[in-house]
Amino acid sequence: MLARQRQERILEEVRAHGGARVSDLVSALGVSEMTVRRDITILAGQGLVARVHGGATALSARAEEPGFSAKSRMALPQKEAIAHAAASLVAPGSSVAVSAGTTTHAVASALVDVPGLTVVTNSLPVAQVLHEAWAAGGHGAGGGLGAGGSLGGGGGTVVLTGGERTRSDALVGPVAVAALRSLHVDVLLLGVHGVDAEAGLTTPNLAEAETNRALVAAAGHVVVVADSSKWHVVGLASIARLEEVDVLVTDDGLPPAARELLAARVGRLVIAERDAALA
């Protein structure tokens, strides 16, 4: 395949999904990682994509993350494995905060069978998946998707923070932060844009970072869910230091050196095996 053909394929992937990972492009194109990185550099130099750690994103994603639908199609096997591992850490009857994001959305799908949960979330998709599953249990649902509203269902209760909606379907801003400051939950399931040894947990959205910091402050136990592509990615705004993380759940694509570093910095590192999620 000629260089121009490769670059056109990369551009198609970025435009279709909002971004593309180097590892996925290596498999799809059948070339070396160095070749893919060089092609991305050329495309970035032409002003066609934005070069980021681990791959490339559409230019509109420089200031903030791709939209929810674009991100939900990326790293699906990894998210599925992480979701099952994270849900196994949640005890029946717990109060659980779930942040916005496609990985936490996958976790929410795995939480539907944990009985008696009270889930606080600033994510409309997370609230919807739990509401639909629990309402289908035959107990009905009360309330609506309004600011600070709650949805009761067969398996538990969902409480929405309220706030300003972002393109990633998160509710953020002063209303969300004020709601969270009055709450105390047993465990937080937190999705992040990036995990880095120096920067810690980050996101490119300033308002979402503030809301996520309020989620961390409200939780007795912080569980971060992040696939291995998030390693060495640094967003604009900080959420928390690695030392504030009680459990980090990631997938088996995380390099050995990163595993060693994270195991020493976070309370507990959980590696979710992708094959196990399919069993």
Side-chain angles (χ1 to χ4, degrees):
M1 184 182 294
L2 299 175
R4 184 175 182 82
Q5 292 174 312
R6 288 196 312 270
Q7 290 158 19
E8 288 176 350
R9 284 280 302 279
I10 292 171
L11 191 56
E12 288 173 1
E13 284 295 310
V14 170
R15 286 174 173 169
H17 304 300
R21 299 194 305 167
V22 169
S23 58
D24 292 338
L25 292 171
V26 166
S27 300
L29 299 174
V31 295
S32 69
E33 182 177 314
M34 183 179 297
T35 297
V36 170
R37 292 186 184 279
R38 185 166 55 243
D39 287 339
I40 289 174
T41 298
I42 291 171
L43 290 169
Q46 295 172 345
L48 298 173
V49 302
R51 187 158 60 96
V52 297
H53 287 292
T57 65
L59 291 177
S60 60
R62 282 181 176 173
E64 56 184 291
E65 298 177 87
F68 186 88
S69 61
K71 289 185 65 183
S72 65
R73 293 190 293 267
M74 301 174 70
L76 290 176
Q78 292 89 338
K79 290 174 182 174
E80 189 75 12
I82 290 168
H84 282 86
S88 71
L89 302 174
V90 177
S94 300
S95 57
V96 183
V98 182
S99 76
T102 55
T103 306
T104 49
H105 183 254
V107 175
S109 296
L111 286 176
V112 297
D113 294 324
V114 182
L117 297 182
T118 298
V119 176
V120 178
T121 185
N122 69 320
S123 166
L124 293 172
V126 165
Q128 195 62 36
V129 72
L130 291 171
H131 166 58
E132 289 179 354
W134 288 340
H139 293 268
L145 291 173
S150 65
L151 300 173
T157 300
V158 184
V159 180
L160 276 161
T161 63
E164 180 182 351
R165 185 175 181 175
T166 70
R167 66 184 295 231
S168 60
D169 285 338
L171 298 174
V172 301
V175 172
V177 171
L180 291 167
R181 283 177 178 162
S182 66
L183 299 176
H184 306 278
V185 297
D186 297 319
V187 61
L188 164 64
L189 297 167
L190 177 67
V192 297
H193 174 75
V195 180
D196 183 76
E198 299 299 325
L201 312 177
T202 61
T203 175
N205 188 302
L206 291 172
E208 194 160 350
E210 182 184 20
T211 305
N212 284 342
R213 286 193 291 269
L215 282 165
V216 171
H221 203 68
V222 177
V223 177
V224 173
V225 290
D227 71 76
S228 56
S229 72
K230 305 293 181 67
W231 177 241
H232 276 329
V233 174
V234 179
L236 177 65
S238 294
I239 300 169
R241 296 176 293 108
L242 292 180
E243 288 77 9
E244 296 177 70
V245 177
D246 294 294
V247 183
L248 173 61
V249 185
T250 187
D251 63 82
D252 53 10
L254 189 70
R259 296 188 189 195
E260 183 178 353
L261 185 149
L262 287 169
R265 298 279 297 277
V266 304
R268 177 186 173 195
L269 178 65
V270 175
I271 303 295
E273 302 290 337
R274 279 171 278 183
D275 291 341
L278 300 176

